[in-house]
Amino acid sequence: MSKPRSLDKSTKEDVSFIDRQPDQLTNQSVGQAEPEVPTGSDCVIAQQSSTQNINALPVDVLPPRLQEIINEANICLGFPKDYLAGAMLTAMAAVIGNTHTAEIMPGWKEYAILFTALVGSPGTNKSHPLSFAMQPLIDFDAEQAAIFNEAMKRYEAAMELPPKDRAAKGYDTNPIEPKRVRFTMQDVTPEAVHRILSENRRSLVLVSDELAGWFKNFNRYNNGSESEFWMSVFNHKAAMSDRKSSQSGVFIRNPFLCVIGTIQPKVLTELAAGNRNANGFMERILYVFPSVQSKVRWNRERKSPSFDIAAAWREILSRLIGIVPAVDSCGEIIPEDVPFSPEALDRLFSWQNEVTDRCNAEGSDTLTSIASKLEIYAVRFSLLLALADRACGDEKKLIDADTVERAIRLTEYFRVTAAKVQGIVSEDALTELQLAVLSELPRTFTTAEGVAIAAKCGMSERSFKRFIKDRKGVLFVHSAHGNYTKL
């Protein structure tokens, strides 16, 4: 894939892009110290109370150059750090695509596929960080679209001529219909997704400013279950379409497709509808959910960025886009494996075992389901962070223990936000009796106290204990033996 000129250097468009942002906004987090995030064994689910202290996406796990861009955009443009960091991670994953993989066990390889939701109330400034992070990909697609249009004109002109006359006019005797190279797509039909994937074997990212438009359109064009298709894509499984409307059937051996968009907390219940909270669909999404959900204020005293943050971000993505992968005789990309060091594998396995022990002890299906998907993401984050380091100048050729530690911290943030989302969805699904009991329970309570309160509301001891067990880690934390805390 050729490197587009628009990504090679700073241009006038870079400046105008910054000018188009709501740069008079300021975020309340500006000037505040980053919350302290547990590391090592302190950050695993084994200490549920400690994970609740992870209130912000740990931006410091990213390479220093990315941290500089995020901090400057936060101070000068008012972009919340969580949203911008989450969008940047997804953009980098989208351009890496099928070029690299990480093998955690023999035969188990992971690609950097991310499904990301920027969760926030109206006015929390979600869309602009998303646009900023995706702008270099939009620029790339615009340039490639122009190239495609010219190639299509030439192809159509050649096809209008008899084969024997084409060479004399400067055309190929047997011209091949051009395909449009791209990274992004938006509102598309299932058939279009298959076609675009088949034409872009490296990678794609579905960008939806309102993520509700994505899942609300599931099955809009057919009676099949489109959520199953997206879950299959998440797992990097072969995709195919044999519907009558598709062009003689489409087969994609290695589909790579990320998803990112914004969503309001009140819409999360709709995301969970249609069995999506029971079939593992919800757990495949990474929820960037800042604890501060206030509408941001405008600030006339803002300062200009000390460097061209758009150009700096464009340069980093350009290095990843510039990766030229090897391909086989069928045109399929041959991914380069990024190996784990022995110490990195030891740390990753130790962390997974600790989380698993906690899940088994808690007996919560919800927490176990979240943990199962997040251990996949821990491997993907390890790969993504290693390649992000490389794009920022680090020449390491493997995933070391430090990279895994950073990936674990990132994973633990998303464990907290997943539980937070499940809490919202779960509370919306409670019966009137369960809501009444939840309202009467104090912040902290013992099992005996809870049973007594439930009885006053008309709930049996057995039903109350089942209620606590089903909502453990979502509405309640088992803080000590026989003691619980409401979240």
Side-chain angles (χ1 to χ4, degrees), residues 4-262:
R5 292 184 301 276
S6 59
L7 294 181
D8 287 338
K9 57 185 178 180
S10 177
T11 63
K12 293 181 179 179
E13 286 76 6
D14 295 333
V15 177
S16 63
F17 171 67
I18 296 179
D19 291 341
R20 290 197 300 270
Q21 302 306 317
D23 49 14
Q24 290 182 323
L25 293 173
T26 183
N27 185 266
Q28 293 180 349
S29 65
V30 174
Q32 295 180 356
E34 291 288 342
E36 186 172 329
V37 181
T39 59
S41 60
D42 292 333
C43 69
V44 298
I45 198 172
Q47 294 295 328
Q48 184 72 30
S49 60
S50 69
T51 66
Q52 301 307 317
N53 296 325
I54 305 176
N55 296 318
L57 192 152
V59 174
D60 62 314
V61 305
L62 300 175
R65 186 55 171 167
L66 285 178
Q67 294 182 46
E68 291 174 359
I69 296 171
I70 292 169
N71 290 333
E72 198 74 3
N74 174 246
I75 294 171
C76 301
L77 304 182
F79 292 172
K81 295 181 182 181
D82 295 43
Y83 293 142
L84 184 53
M88 283 180 159
L89 284 167
T90 308
M92 289 188 293
V95 299
I96 290 167
N98 279 319
T99 67
H100 289 78
T101 186
E103 187 172 52
I104 184 67
M105 297 181 194
W108 176 8
K109 294 185 177 183
E110 286 295 338
Y111 296 76
I113 297 174
L114 308 186
F115 286 8
T116 308
L118 309 182
V119 187
S121 302
T124 51
N125 199 8
K126 307 180 294 294
S127 297
H128 295 296
L130 175 59
S131 297
F132 177 88
M134 294 296 155
Q135 190 62 43
L137 303 189
I138 299 298
D139 292 343
F140 175 90
D141 287 0
E143 183 175 292
Q144 292 299 317
I147 294 173
F148 167 79
N149 290 336
E150 290 300 316
M152 181 57 75
K153 290 178 182 177
R154 183 172 178 82
Y155 169 78
E156 291 173 345
M159 293 301 292
E160 291 178 357
L161 298 172
K164 60 184 179 63
D165 295 339
R166 291 171 185 166
K169 297 289 186 178
Y171 298 111
D172 293 335
T173 303
N174 297 303
I176 299 175
E177 183 175 352
K179 296 179 180 179
R180 180 184 165 190
V181 177
R182 61 198 295 183
F183 278 122
T184 65
M185 60 181 182
Q186 297 180 347
D187 183 30
V188 289
T189 65
E191 287 79 9
V193 172
H194 282 89
R195 175 182 56 80
I196 297 171
L197 270 174
S198 69
E199 295 175 349
N200 292 271
R201 300 185 182 185
R202 176 168 176 155
S203 59
L204 281 170
V205 56
L206 174 70
V207 182
S208 179
D209 189 47
E210 293 291 341
L211 205 56
W214 170 52
F215 59 81
K216 285 182 179 180
N217 286 336
F218 283 5
N219 308 330
R220 177 177 59 172
Y221 301 98
N222 58 75
N223 293 323
S225 181
E226 195 174 340
S227 62
E228 271 75 10
F229 162 75
W230 288 99
M231 289 192 292
S232 177
V233 166
F234 174 87
N235 294 328
H236 200 255
K237 291 184 177 179
M240 61 189 74
S241 174
D242 296 312
R243 296 192 182 102
K244 184 177 180 180
S245 57
S246 63
Q247 297 179 340
S248 68
V250 174
F251 178 80
I252 307 104
R253 182 182 296 277
N254 299 305
F256 187 104
L257 179 52
C258 293
V259 178
I260 188 169
T262 68

Side-chain angles (χ1 to χ4, degrees), residues 416-469:
V416 172
T417 58
K420 187 175 180 179
V421 167
Q422 284 294 334
I424 293 172
V425 172
S426 180
E427 190 165 350
D428 286 344
L430 295 182
T431 65
E432 290 186 9
L433 178 57
Q434 290 170 333
L435 283 171
V437 172
L438 181 65
S439 176
E440 291 297 323
L441 288 171
R443 171 71 174 167
T444 60
F445 59 92
T446 66
T447 303
E449 291 170 342
V451 168
I453 291 171
K456 290 180 180 179
C457 296
M459 180 182 286
S460 68
E461 178 179 347
R462 181 179 179 181
S463 296
F464 174 74
K465 289 182 177 179
R466 181 65 185 178
F467 175 46
I468 293 292
K469 181 178 183 295

